[in-house]
Amino acid sequence: MRALASDHGGPPAVELDGVSKRYGSATAVADVSVSIRDGEFFTLVGPSGCGKTTTLRLIAGFETPTTGTVRFAGEDVRGVGPEDRNVGVVFQNYALFEHMSVAENVAYGLKFADPPRGLSRNERVAELLELVDLEGLGDRDPTALSGGQQQRVSIARALAPDPALLLLDEPMSALDARLRQRLRREIRSIQTELGVTTVYVTHDQAEALAVSDRVAVLSEGRVEQVGDPESLYRRPRSRFVAEFVGENNLFDGTAAAGAMSDTTTVRVGEASFEIAADADGDVTFCVRPGAFDPAASHNRIEARVLDSEFLGETTRVRLGWADHRLVVSLPAPPDSETLTVGFDPRDAWVIG
Ligand code: ATP
């Protein structure tokens, strides 16, 4: 079970209030306002260049906003340097010192701060190595560790002074897929155990959904939507979020009165769909690949099978219908060149 972030009703742990960052004429971050709760695992996700790293660097204090305010627990931190913000930062390239042992690298995190709870430096280092599952490896050279182990050393180093805030910038991008999945579970479990407020940057939307309490989806420096993983997936508010978070099928049409009392009829080209939503005029709705079903009685369309990928549990099938490309997820590969599928009116979600 995931521990829920405590929301004491006090000021947010971190607040970005109308924050922009410009470099000359380029805008990296544009009027971002988000509140990160105490103890929360909060993720910034978006495609390359959307401003994730810049936002994290603004929180860490490596950058200063061009406009707007960053607050920690209600206090404006303008003018407070990174070393005085009580943050631990983990970078994608580990940034370990090769001439120091693993234990010395972790102890380096205590260079500007005393260990917490009256512990000696050695006790604190031992405690952290155990936390990240590297006990007994303190004397090793960091180059004699795997990529995943090296990243755990840099997490231990960032946590050494018991920071109020842990910032992670694409910490797993150098690792292979299987290791990434393992390490993300470990990071989440360490975060839950310590209850440390965490801001995590990734371009991988599946990773964001898997680990976060809440996620901010960024596009071109702006926040598109903030929400818990399920609401982002089920109730995207923009076309960008609908297409970026998970796979989706979008339909642009025109709404008319519903054939059934609790549905709306939407004309899409030559076809009509019944969707369980109030809509008027031009409307865009989306249907997830898993909602399509050959046995569904509503919204049936006959489509051409373009190709299919057998994924084990499911088969991902690309279909051509009118001028649309659709992706549907079926229990087994189709055995013909055309396929009729439908979806329940309640599985359509209107965007915007
Ligand atoms: P990626 O996933 O590729 O790391 P990102 O979402 O983290 O991307 P940022 O690194 O925050 O994006 O960059 C946002 C935009 O700001 C990009 O267009 C980038 O080129 C620009 N940018 C970032 N830092 C600087 C800088 N120091 N000088 C000029 N432009 C910058």
Side-chain angles (χ1 to χ4, degrees):
M1 266 302 279
R2 179 178 291 177
L4 285 179
S6 50
D7 193 2
H8 316 295
V14 180
E15 192 180 6
L16 305 187
D17 187 357
V19 169
S20 298
K21 181 66 186 178
R22 285 188 284 277
Y23 298 102
S25 61
T27 301
V29 172
D31 194 22
V32 163
S33 294
V34 290
S35 291
I36 299 166
R37 296 171 193 149
D38 201 22
E40 176 166 58
F41 197 115
F42 190 91
T43 298
L44 302 167
V45 70
S48 180
C50 71
K52 307 179 291 290
T53 294
T54 305
T55 304
L56 201 78
R57 292 174 60 80
L58 287 161
I59 296 171
F62 298 128
E63 303 282 353
T64 307
T66 310
T67 58
T69 308
V70 179
R71 296 187 196 94
F72 282 14
E75 302 260 334
D76 186 345
V77 290
R78 183 173 284 268
V80 181
E83 63 288 352
D84 294 320
R85 289 195 180 194
N86 198 14
V87 297
V89 188
V90 177
F91 299 99
Q92 90 186 51
N93 59 3
Y94 320 147
L96 297 177
F97 300 111
E98 291 185 6
H99 58 282
M100 294 183 186
S101 69
V102 165
E104 285 164 348
N105 267 280
V106 176
Y108 189 85
L110 297 166
K111 194 170 160 67
F112 303 106
D114 290 329
R117 291 173 275 114
L119 294 173
S120 72
R121 295 168 82 81
N122 285 346
E123 285 167 341
R124 180 60 174 161
V125 169
E127 181 179 79
L128 286 157
L129 288 177
E130 192 185 328
L131 179 75
V132 299
D133 221 7
L134 291 176
E135 59 268 64
L137 297 184
D139 294 333
R140 282 259 186 107
D141 199 287
T143 52
L145 298 181
S146 71
Q149 289 173 326
Q150 290 187 42
Q151 194 53 301
R152 299 213 298 263
V153 175
S154 66
I155 292 167
R157 180 179 60 189
L159 289 171
D162 199 18
L165 187 62
L166 179 64
L167 305 175
L168 302 127
D169 188 1
E170 301 258 9
M172 301 189 291
S173 51
L175 306 176
D176 69 54
R178 197 169 282 267
L179 201 52
R180 277 209 304 271
Q181 288 195 7
R182 205 178 94 195
L183 190 62
R184 84 186 184 202
R185 281 196 298 274
E186 287 171 4
I187 290 176
R188 178 67 217 202
S189 120
I190 290 169
Q191 190 273 340
T192 305
E193 186 176 336
L194 301 179
V196 59
T197 308
T198 297
V199 186
Y200 187 87
V201 161
T202 180
H203 63 273
D204 181 338
Q205 52 83 29
E207 192 171 288
L209 296 184
V211 296
S212 315
D213 291 315
R214 288 192 307 147
V215 179
V217 182
L218 302 185
S219 165
E220 297 180 3
R222 294 184 181 278
V223 175
E224 285 276 328
Q225 190 169 344
V226 179
D228 62 81
E230 202 177 328
S231 68
L232 286 177
Y233 187 80
R234 297 196 191 287
R235 297 185 289 281
R237 285 206 298 264
S238 67
R239 181 178 280 267
F240 180 83
V241 175
E243 290 183 314
F244 184 77
V245 177
E247 283 199 294
N248 223 336
N249 297 289
L250 271 69
F251 298 88
D252 295 312
T254 313
M260 295 183 278
S261 60
D262 52 354
T263 63
T264 302
T265 305
V266 180
R267 298 261 337 146
V268 177
E270 302 291 299
S272 303
F273 294 99
E274 292 297 317
I275 64 169
D278 271 339
D280 220 355
D282 291 342
V283 53
T284 300
F285 67 90
C286 56
V287 183
R288 292 287 178 188
F292 287 92
D293 181 356
S297 49
H298 291 96
N299 298 322
R300 291 178 69 76
I301 51 175
E302 188 184 327
R304 285 165 287 125
V305 175
L306 301 177
D307 55 44
S308 67
E309 289 175 310
F310 178 67
L311 303 174
E313 295 287 310
T314 62
T315 298
R316 180 180 177 280
V317 185
R318 288 197 320 128
L319 300 175
W321 171 77
D323 56 357
H324 286 67
R325 293 275 175 279
L326 305 179
V327 178
V328 306
S329 172
L330 300 176
D335 53 9
S336 57
E337 284 175 14
T338 61
L339 184 67
T340 301
V341 287
F343 60 89
D344 191 294
R346 288 167 300 186
D347 285 331
W349 172 255
V350 173
I351 294 165

